[in-house]
Amino acid sequence: MRKPVRYTTLAAAGLLALSSLTACANDAASTASSGSGSKGDGKGTKVKIMVGGLDKVIYMPAMLTQRLGYFDAEGLDVELLSEPAGVQAETALVSGQVQGAVGFYDHTLDLQTNGKAIESVVQFSHAPGEVEIVSTKAAGDITSPKDFKGKKLGITGLGSSTDFLTKYLAVRNGVKVSDFTPVAVGAGPTFISALQRGAIDGGMTTDPTVATILDKKAGKVLLDMRTPEGSQEALGGPYPSSSLYMQTDWVNSHRDTVQKLANAFVKTLKWMSTHSSSQIAAKMPADYSQGNKLLYAAAIESTLPMFTDDGVMPKDGPETVEKVLKAFNPNIKNAKVDLSKTFTTEFVEKAAG
């Protein structure tokens, strides 16, 4: 039996005061599986995983795996925790607060240049799942990334993957990083409020925030990177984004546990590939739909093309990510990154076999 959701103070108390469930889920949620599984003793192997926003559709495999009971089936006691931005999930992993992080693969490259050995062990996606939105008011002024100059653009957090991708889109379109202002506004209600108040002219976010903005007619889509085709057009190739990444030392010393995690996640990805968005939405916590089941299912439908069905790193994906980061990140531009050390397919290939 799944333990009830409990909330842990992981973010500023002010954020916890937000009435929206999305804010709660993004900023300070923790939920644990029972871990009974095949062991049958209720004491499965304990693993803590920090997610860069539990209710974000791009990170849906984390909660869905728990809801489907696949962690339990592997004899794992997985505690899922949540922070509003992937960069905070990265920090929790590096500091040893958690054993795994569900966030963007690009952090593994960035961390390697800082002497940290981190690797993706399950690759959930082959596209970013991100959307560049512009406010309805600014839509006439921003018709492409070429118009980013002088604008205030929302991101989840400084140093986050939305920060990385926004900078790349600017540079690729002839706009210097110093020519626009990134504003950390998180996701969900905080992003939407910033857009409506004019605190940002546009920004990068994911579903279900995108679906809500369009439903409220608060903004318009400038660039859609929820599909491999959208990723190719905006970034020039497949862009592996959401993944389970872990410290390499921990992976090497806990191979059995990592294999069980891979088994569980690959089963989830396969399940997602054979079920409709409505069926997937029905498995997720009821609060995630915020009272609008149709809109939530539509948000999942729009984002489903980004996911892999086997957890394998897409061909040429790491090279695209490196190209994107080298375009604006001086640390990576002047460093030699060993891409082979930023991911492994060993565990997902065994899971599929």
Side-chain angles (χ1 to χ4, degrees), residues 2 32 34 46 64 68 70 76 79-80 103 120 140 157 187 195 201 205 235 281 295 303 305 313 318 323:
R2 198 172 67 86
S34 67
K46 180 75 176 176
L64 185 57
L68 290 170
Y70 292 160
L76 296 171
E79 183 178 7
L80 298 174
S120 165
L195 196 70
D201 301 299
T205 191
L235 306 173
L295 188 64
T303 306
M313 176 65 72
K323 178 194 72 176

Side-chain angles (χ1 to χ4, degrees), residues 251-283:
V251 171
N252 292 337
S253 58
H254 297 80
R255 299 178 64 79
D256 183 55
T257 300
V258 176
Q259 186 61 62
K260 289 176 179 179
L261 287 166
N263 293 346
F265 278 123
V266 169
K267 282 173 70 177
T268 297
L269 292 168
K270 288 188 182 302
W271 188 92
M272 287 168 58
S273 71
T274 58
H275 289 75
S276 69
S277 57
S278 296
Q279 289 172 317
I280 295 170
K283 288 290 184 183

Side-chain angles (χ1 to χ4, degrees), residues 152-167:
K152 294 173 290 183
L153 301 176
I155 55 174
T156 53
L158 296 174
S160 67
S161 296
T162 52
D163 189 16
F164 293 164
L165 287 171
T166 301
K167 286 175 177 174

Side-chain angles (χ1 to χ4, degrees), residues 85-164:
V87 66
Q88 290 157 323
E90 167 199 298
T91 301
L93 177 69
V94 172
S95 65
Q97 295 176 50
V98 296
Q99 289 76 52
V102 169
F104 269 40
Y105 160 72
D106 54 22
H107 291 294
T108 66
L109 280 72
D110 193 42
L111 286 165
Q112 190 183 110
T113 64
N114 292 312
K116 307 291 185 183
I118 309 288
E119 60 188 1
S120 165
V121 295
V122 184
Q123 193 59 51
F124 298 160
S125 60
H126 45 194
E130 301 281 356
V131 176
E132 185 68 29
I133 289 274
V134 293
S135 72
T136 303
K137 183 179 179 182
D141 298 326
I142 307 174
T143 58
S144 85
K146 293 178 182 178
D147 301 322
F148 282 176
K149 188 172 182 178
K151 300 298 188 290
K152 294 173 290 183
L153 301 176
I155 55 174
T156 53
L158 296 174
S160 67
S161 296
T162 52
D163 189 16
F164 293 164

